[in-house]
Amino acid sequence: MKKALIPIATFIICLVGMSLLTHGFLTFTIFSRTLYNAGTLPREMPHINLIDQDSTPFAVSEKDKYVLLNFMYINCPNACHIVNYKINEIYDDLKENNTFKNLEIVTITFDLKNDNISKIKNYRQNFSPDMTGWTFAIPNGYTRQEFHKILKETGVWAHTVSDTKIINHSLYLFLISPQNQIVHIYDPARDSNNQIINSLKHFTHDRQT
Amino acid sequence: MTGKLRNIAKITAVVIFLTQLLFFKSLFVSTMPLHVAVHIPLLVFLGLILGTGTRINTKYPLAILIFTMASLMAYMLPYLTDLSAIILSVNIIRQFHLLLCGILIAIALPQAIIEVQIAFLGMLTSTTAATGIAMQKFNILLCSAFSIPQQQKTGTWLLYISGILFIITLLNIFWVHPRRQSE
């Protein structure tokens, strides 16, 4: 009996250890773990001072509408641009359906060193001709450490690879309510355009009614 | 293996371990294939050399093998792969832990019954293959310290390693085990 007990106990300890390591077999990557550690939904969106492409300071919390928030940087080799073009498709679809009374898209850059207002203004021109509902912004007055702290609180992991200077980061899209609460998180790698569009319509429709 | 040869192999293993400990920051963290598909097997292999011929009798080889299996699976997780590439202290703990895993396998595996040996090696093979396939097929970045092409290359290398492990499993069943029984 004792001979069987020790292996069984070892198995249970290992299983518990693995479960603790992965938050109950839910988080296997550093991206999902950072998101998990940020807390359950709905939760408050940390305050970020921003400057938009027209040099106007603003904060997401000041918008009296839903905000679909994503993070990117212009020198990204591909992932950020793929996500932004996906958002562009969503934006065009929602614009046709007049959803932008209650919704705004805000894209924030990570790269405090290389990206600036003129660069994001030029980059923004790659998308829809009418961009009234989609703002590009840079963080205003933060050090790298301070901004990374905000990112972690939001649930975003960003790591700069030392050799290539590529910033590998989470690609999640955060839906923030007018009460400054993160109410939904979309994964552009998994969620289809239709899923995101229907969900956004659902949230903004609730606000209209 | 004779005692003298074994001692030379063990000294060489210690020297290799200490040397790689000095250079791992630049070498084994530079790319994902090196960090996962070369560094992990290397450390376990060095541990196997150090543990071979150790006259430690254990009553619980199965418990030891469960622990080593869980440890190896944990270090295959993208989260720990990432963390060990980013944080130096995690990397050092990982290296000693994997070395210990090799030593424990060398001690416990020969003392386990053949069914347990097959289960252990079979599970190690299938876990490595599954991780390899996942890394090769995923178009989503799993580790922030590396890139998708590196991730896919790691997947391919892990599949090769699982092939080697499969051959080791077969050798163990059809050659090592019958030889040990006849002795």
Side-chain angles (χ1 to χ4, degrees):
Chain A
M1 183 65 188
K2 198 183 163 192
K3 216 174 177 183
L5 210 64
I6 301 283
I8 291 168
T10 312
F11 179 73
I12 292 167
I13 291 166
C14 289
L15 206 64
V16 170
M18 201 68 116
S19 173
L20 289 172
L21 190 71
T22 57
H23 290 304
F25 302 101
L26 288 172
T27 62
F28 293 97
T29 65
I30 210 154
F31 307 109
S32 54
R33 198 180 170 89
T34 309
L35 189 66
Y36 184 94
N37 286 341
T40 51
L41 299 182
R43 63 180 146 85
E44 199 174 338
M45 175 67 198
H47 181 83
I48 316 176
N49 292 320
L50 300 161
I51 302 180
D52 71 9
Q53 67 285 333
D54 302 316
S55 306
T56 313
F58 76 102
V60 171
S61 54
E62 290 164 3
K63 305 255 178 204
D64 188 29
K65 50 168 79 171
Y66 279 93
V67 173
L68 184 68
L69 184 79
N70 77 306
F71 295 88
M72 63 108 205
Y73 69 106
I74 293 170
N75 291 337
C76 178
N78 49 26
C80 294
H81 312 304
I82 293 169
V83 171
N84 280 336
Y85 279 106
K86 189 182 174 88
I87 294 172
N88 195 19
E89 287 167 16
I90 294 165
Y91 176 80
D92 287 340
D93 188 287
L94 292 171
K95 206 151 182 48
E96 276 175 27
N97 292 298
N98 211 15
T99 312
F100 277 90
K101 277 182 200 161
N102 300 314
L103 178 71
E104 185 171 333
I105 298 174
V106 175
T107 298
I108 304 173
T109 176
F110 280 112
D111 197 347
L112 304 182
K113 199 177 166 189
N114 297 307
D115 291 350
N116 56 38
I117 293 165
S118 66
K119 276 188 182 177
I120 58 165
K121 194 170 186 172
N122 287 337
Y123 180 74
R124 189 170 175 256
Q125 287 165 0
N126 293 321
F127 302 98
S128 293
D130 176 14
M131 290 284 282
T132 44
W134 189 356
T135 306
F136 279 70
I138 57 169
N140 184 12
Y142 295 104
T143 62
R144 205 167 155 262
Q145 282 79 12
E146 285 166 345
F147 187 57
H148 271 245
K149 191 171 173 268
I150 293 171
L151 286 175
K152 271 195 176 178
E153 284 167 11
T154 310
V156 174
W157 173 262
H159 171 72
T160 309
V161 181
S162 53
D163 301 350
T164 56
K165 301 294 171 209
I166 288 172
I167 307 170
N168 285 326
H169 59 88
S170 314
L171 296 168
Y172 305 117
L173 312 178
F174 296 87
L175 183 65
I176 299 148
S177 73
Q179 292 77 34
N180 199 38
Q181 298 281 311
I182 301 172
V183 287
H184 201 90
I185 295 163
Y186 305 99
D187 186 347
R190 290 191 177 89
D191 298 334
S192 70
N193 284 9
N194 277 340
Q195 282 173 315
I196 297 172
I197 289 165
N198 289 335
S199 170
L200 288 172
K201 279 179 184 170
H202 168 76
F203 277 104
T204 50
H205 181 73
D206 279 356
R207 169 116 165 119
Q208 272 174 333
T209 53
Chain B
M1 205 189 282
T2 62
K4 202 179 173 185
L5 262 175
R6 194 176 286 155
N7 286 338
I8 292 168
K10 282 185 181 184
I11 291 164
T12 313
V14 172
V15 170
I16 293 171
F17 178 73
L18 293 174
T19 314
Q20 67 85 38
L21 205 59
L22 291 172
F23 297 106
F24 75 91
K25 191 78 186 105
S26 53
L27 179 65
F28 290 112
V29 183
S30 59
T31 66
M32 196 174 181
L34 284 175
H35 188 61
V36 177
V38 175
H39 205 195
I40 295 177
L42 174 73
L43 291 165
V44 175
F45 184 68
L46 293 176
L48 282 171
I49 293 172
L50 289 174
T52 305
T54 312
R55 284 177 196 144
I56 298 172
N57 281 321
T58 172
K59 281 182 186 173
Y60 307 106
L62 179 59
I64 292 172
L65 291 175
I66 289 169
F67 170 75
T68 52
M69 188 69 221
S71 303
L72 291 172
M73 281 169 88
Y75 286 113
M76 293 258 190
L77 289 176
Y79 172 63
L80 276 188
T81 303
D82 227 347
L83 218 61
S84 59
I86 295 167
I87 303 170
L88 186 70
S89 55
V90 177
N91 202 333
I92 292 169
I93 292 167
R94 171 184 180 261
Q95 296 197 46
F96 281 98
H97 194 161
L98 287 169
L99 189 79
L100 177 72
C101 284
I103 295 169
L104 290 175
I105 292 169
I107 293 168
L109 198 64
Q111 295 182 44
I113 56 170
I114 185 69
E115 290 84 351
V116 171
Q117 289 182 21
I118 294 167
F120 176 78
L121 289 169
M123 205 160 153
L124 196 63
T125 307
S126 54
T127 308
T128 311
T131 311
I133 292 166
M135 284 187 175
Q136 209 182 37
K137 300 290 172 200
F138 270 33
N139 275 324
I140 304 164
L141 187 67
L142 297 172
C143 297
S144 70
F146 306 106
S147 63
I148 292 176
Q150 284 181 15
Q151 184 177 295
Q152 287 167 341
K153 199 174 174 185
T154 309
T156 310
W157 288 23
L158 284 178
L159 282 174
Y160 293 144
I161 292 168
S162 70
I164 296 166
L165 284 170
F166 182 66
I167 293 165
I168 291 171
T169 310
L170 292 180
L171 281 175
N172 193 54
I173 299 166
F174 297 111
W175 190 65
V176 179
H177 181 69
R179 249 186 82 198
R180 242 187 231 138
Q181 274 200 322
S182 64
E183 279 170 13

